[in-house]
Amino acid sequence: MMPVTLYHSLSSIQADLASGAVTCRQLVDYYLDRIQQNQHLNAFVAVYADEARQRAEAVDQRLKEGKAGRLAGMVLGIKDVLSYKDHGVQAGSNMLSGFEAQFTATAVQRLIDEDAIIIGRQNCDEFAMGSSNENSAYGPARNAADPERVPGGSSGGSAVAVQADLCLASIGSDTGGSVRQPAAFCGVIGLKPTYGRISRWGLIAYASSFDCIGPITRSVEDAALLLEIMAGADDFDSTVSQSPVPAYSKQAASERPLRIAYLREGVESEGVDETIRQQTIAMLDQLRAQGHVVEPVTFPLLKHILPTYYILTTAEASSNLSRFDGVRYGHRSQTATDLESLYKKSRTEGFGDEVRRRIILGTFALSSSYYDAYYTKAQQVRRLIKEYTDQLFANYDLLATPVTPTTAFRIGEKTSDPLQMYLADIFTVQANVVGYPAIAIPNGTDEKGLPIGFQMMAAPFRESDLLAAANQLVAQPVNS
Ligand code: GLN
């Protein structure tokens, strides 16, 4: 028997597993069928069908014996930047064509240890650089609400997979919005934790002082549970926090009224779609009606956040991606004549346009003549942005904004203008520049039926506040 309902959370699946209404094996077959029927969305770049079926049978067995882990029944997809031993990992790049992971990312291992079933690897922008999933060697993923439109990026395949019910949840990565922005474009939930909350071991690096792993789900409770299981100290990542992991999954609605600031520009700026502004105001009204204090704020450094982000992330990327040299990993040019041409040709052939652009920009920002003018300056501005953000959080628990200024755009619409593309991240990058947690939750649709997202950001390690407020706002299950 196939599951007849669309599941919105692991708890409803586990209730059916317990009553015998469904088995893990049936669930896996159901999702495999869905993946098959929705190949045009290009969400998955590899599907582990046999392996997932076998694991499902093993989990069913453990359920019978009463020995199953907390994620029994959770069928997950992982973004193509997360290492899973003996499985391919390419970061959406020809550079890593044919490359297989030698070890498993800590976050992924923790999920497997709790009996999650990994059904496949998901499409994304090359090395997680992009806001539309168009910079992928596998071609663009498509938005299930309108396949002519992008699902957002860089975790585009991961978001559309949840939107189209190809798996219950996905694990993505967020360096400047890559979990939250595609979640918003696809009408699902995306959580970026505090920097250092989840180990980055096994995550292919883009910009190491910004990168965070985060879940994409249909329910707040699933986001909380996945965070709880992935988070915490790890000997393999020296930047991960040692602070104890709260029981996020036990977090219900907030016990106290929260003080919520909202960014004036988010509801007033002409650059933000009219419907998004209205829906954001409606959400703020809802928070007010729930007893929270909701007040407008302005952020004086708003226009400096994106440039700071792009200088620092390209600088870090140019350094991180220097390891892809044609010698140690993936693509090696067949026409090289000496060592230098091997490096040059392998990198030119292996990397796509956007990745090359960023390596060049980053190398420039780090070059000796411009280091102080760009890199040092951007570090100073990063510090100022953090100070202003701290001041804000001295008075408020949460900062609310839309996730994006527009809904999902058409495939090809912004590819010729990188600056337009970068603007898609205007509201999401602040959380990464300062390292704070933020969540994207669905907030209705525009007149074309395209999903809108609402973002809340909290002070470091206050994921509980985010989840509490999100729990109150996402009362209804997230529809596809
Ligand atoms: N769109 C942003 C960028 O291209 C964010 C990417 C990300 O979060 N990985 O840098």
Side-chain angles (χ1 to χ4, degrees):
M1 185 197 66
M2 297 289 285
V4 282
T5 54
L6 164 78
Y7 287 106
H8 293 287
S9 67
L10 182 63
S11 59
S12 51
I13 289 180
Q14 288 183 339
D16 281 0
L17 286 170
S19 73
V22 75
T23 64
C24 290
R25 174 61 204 254
Q26 287 167 342
L27 272 170
V28 163
D29 285 338
Y30 165 78
Y31 288 121
L32 288 171
D33 265 4
R34 300 274 317 156
I35 293 172
Q36 188 68 29
Q37 287 157 19
N38 287 281
Q39 283 188 25
H40 64 286
L41 298 175
N42 203 15
F44 281 85
V45 298
V47 180
Y48 310 138
D50 291 342
E51 196 185 310
R53 286 194 191 100
Q54 278 164 22
R55 263 192 69 82
E57 282 168 16
V59 178
D60 281 329
Q61 187 57 36
R62 277 198 286 284
L63 278 165
K64 267 197 208 123
E65 294 162 4
K67 291 188 196 145
R70 296 166 74 198
L71 294 180
M74 170 71 81
V75 179
L76 279 177
I78 57 174
K79 182 178 179 181
D80 187 24
V81 288
L82 288 160
S83 305
Y84 181 16
K85 191 173 185 329
D86 298 331
H87 295 73
V89 60
Q90 280 191 225
S93 181
N94 286 324
M95 181 51 98
L96 283 175
S97 153
F99 184 78
E100 281 196 356
Q102 326 272 300
F103 59 88
T104 301
T106 300
V108 174
Q109 190 60 53
R110 288 182 181 172
L111 300 169
I112 294 172
D113 291 345
E114 289 291 348
D115 280 338
I117 297 166
I118 312 243
I119 201 162
R121 186 156 61 92
Q122 294 160 330
N123 203 350
C124 62
D125 283 300
E126 185 175 7
F127 285 99
M129 297 176 191
S131 309
S132 67
N133 213 129
E134 291 167 292
N135 305 329
S136 165
Y138 298 99
R142 292 168 182 274
N143 195 310
D146 175 356
E148 293 312 310
R149 290 176 186 268
V150 304
S154 63
S155 315
S158 304
V160 68
V162 177
Q163 175 191 31
D165 199 29
L166 313 184
C167 51
L168 182 66
S170 301
I171 307 299
S173 67
D174 190 313
T175 304
S178 277
V179 159
R180 289 161 288 153
Q181 186 256 19
F185 277 10
C186 293
V188 294
I189 292 160
L191 174 65
K192 180 205 101 71
T194 310
Y195 179 78
R197 181 73 289 191
I198 297 177
S199 167
R200 288 180 293 115
W201 173 252
L203 168 69
I204 294 181
Y206 159 16
S208 309
S209 76
F210 296 75
D211 295 341
C212 290
I213 292 174
I216 298 178
T217 61
R218 282 176 174 271
S219 66
V220 178
E221 57 178 271
D222 285 357
L225 181 61
L226 290 169
L227 172 66
E228 186 177 320
I229 287 169
M230 289 188 286
D234 177 23
D235 289 344
F236 294 112
D237 177 357
S238 61
T239 61
V240 81
S241 168
Q242 304 292 318
S243 67
V245 178
Y248 299 115
S249 59
K250 304 277 181 303
Q251 176 81 45
S254 184
E255 290 129 27
R256 62 189 166 95
L258 296 170
R259 291 185 53 79
I260 303 173
Y262 69 88
L263 199 60
R264 215 181 258 285
E265 286 83 350
V267 299
E268 285 177 7
S269 165
E270 306 253 302
V272 179
D273 282 359
E274 171 68 23
T275 344
I276 296 186
R277 285 191 267 150
Q278 283 168 7
Q279 292 286 101
T280 305
I281 291 169
M283 199 63 127
L284 294 168
D285 287 343
Q286 205 175 319
L287 285 165
R288 239 182 236 116
Q290 288 169 351
H292 303 296
V293 176
V294 179
E295 291 173 356
V297 292
T298 49
F299 194 74
L301 296 176
L302 187 62
K303 69 172 191 288
H304 299 295
I305 299 178
L306 263 185
T308 303
Y309 170 82
Y310 274 99
I311 290 170
L312 294 176
T313 54
T314 54
E316 292 188 22
S318 74
S319 164
N320 272 326
L321 273 59
S322 64
R323 74 191 67 178
F324 302 104
D325 54 9
V327 177
R328 288 169 291 180
Y329 306 94
H331 178 76
R332 173 184 293 220
S333 175
Q334 296 306 306
T335 58
T337 48
D338 56 13
L339 187 61
E340 192 170 328
S341 77
L342 176 71
Y343 293 160
K344 280 192 182 157
K345 288 190 174 202
S346 300
R347 288 168 67 79
T348 306
E349 291 162 11
F351 291 133
D353 288 350
E354 181 62 24
V355 172
R356 284 210 302 274
R357 173 166 29 241
R358 295 199 192 190
I359 291 173
I360 292 167
L361 282 172
T363 306
F364 177 78
L366 289 175
S367 62
S368 55
S369 332
Y370 295 97
Y371 186 90
D372 284 338
Y374 290 99
Y375 185 75
T376 308
K377 185 65 94 194
Q379 288 285 38
Q380 289 164 340
V381 180
R382 184 180 199 181
R383 174 60 177 264
L384 284 177
I385 294 169
K386 181 154 183 332
E387 280 172 8
Y388 274 103
T389 309
D390 282 344
Q391 279 170 24
L392 205 152
F393 281 102
N395 293 319
Y396 295 97
D397 297 300
L398 301 176
L399 174 64
T401 61
V403 182
T404 53
T406 69
T407 49
F409 41 91
R410 277 179 209 289
I411 291 175
E413 193 177 319
K414 296 190 192 223
T415 35
S416 58
D417 187 351
L419 284 180
Q420 272 303 314
M421 190 73 92
Y422 297 173
L423 278 172
D425 305 321
I426 182 92
F427 295 123
T428 51
V429 293
Q430 181 175 6
N432 304 76
V433 169
V434 300
Y436 291 9
I439 193 166
I441 59 172
N443 188 14
T445 53
D446 70 4
E447 54 291 342
K448 297 191 205 75
L450 300 170
I452 294 173
F454 180 77
Q455 175 176 253
M456 292 178 288
M457 181 172 141
F461 300 100
R462 300 309 299 259
E463 280 85 353
S464 303
D465 287 343
L466 285 181
L467 294 162
N471 253 322
Q472 274 181 294
L473 292 174
V474 189
Q476 299 300 317
V478 176
N479 292 307
S480 51

